[in-house]
Amino acid sequence: MIRHSIYLTFPGNAAQAFTYYQSVFGGELTMQTYGELDTSDFPFDPDPSWIAHGELRGPVSLSGGDGGDQPLGSPVYSMLLYGTDVEEGRALLARLAEDGGESIMPFEQAPWGDFYGQTRDRFGITWAVATRD
């Protein structure tokens, strides 16, 4: 059976991001640092405290690690989450906007009937939430 996970490359703050996402979404979090690995054959010299691989398994599954120097934010993608009700969707978007995030689109009834909104979190990831009324 196929399992799906988004993979994100962070610019040195993966541990902080994964810990934050676990606090928002719940789930089981595992992280391994480069310092725990033999990196002698790596094509780069990673900071030993950086995350080589992190994985959050739960209602929202995310994988990733440190190693990029590019910002994560981009207008060409967003993570779409489906809530079970309007209050859950509204609360989720508000939680993702806390601590340096920002609301991009308020959570309101959309022309197609669902409730929909967007937030960019403090790490630059855009999260869209949709729920049926």
Side-chain angles (χ1 to χ4, degrees):
M1 172 183 238
I2 294 176
R3 193 172 67 84
H4 175 264
S5 182
I6 301 298
Y7 192 94
L8 300 169
T9 302
F10 293 90
N13 60 351
Q16 181 184 12
F18 275 108
T19 301
Y20 173 73
Y21 293 137
Q22 183 185 35
S23 77
V24 172
F25 302 122
E28 180 183 334
L29 176 61
T30 58
M31 291 188 282
Q32 183 176 35
T33 65
Y34 284 107
E36 297 174 87
L37 302 174
D38 176 8
T39 59
S40 59
D41 290 336
F42 277 33
F44 63 100
D45 186 24
D47 182 315
S49 68
W50 278 11
I51 300 302
H53 184 72
E55 186 172 15
L56 179 63
R57 287 186 179 192
V60 173
S61 293
L62 298 170
S63 300
D66 289 312
D69 59 359
Q70 299 297 315
L72 290 170
S74 171
V76 300
Y77 72 89
S78 62
M79 308 299 180
L80 177 58
L81 305 173
Y82 291 97
T84 57
D85 61 58
V86 172
E87 289 310 311
E88 179 187 48
R90 185 172 281 118
L92 183 55
L93 279 178
R95 176 76 171 102
L96 287 163
E98 291 175 353
D99 301 324
E102 65 176 312
S103 175
I104 299 171
M105 180 182 294
F107 193 71
E108 298 175 345
Q109 192 158 21
W112 59 88
D114 292 350
F115 277 74
Y116 180 85
Q118 294 181 353
T119 293
R120 183 172 300 113
D121 72 24
R122 66 184 185 202
F123 300 100
I125 302 296
T126 299
W127 298 90
V129 175
T131 62
R132 301 215 183 259
D133 185 15

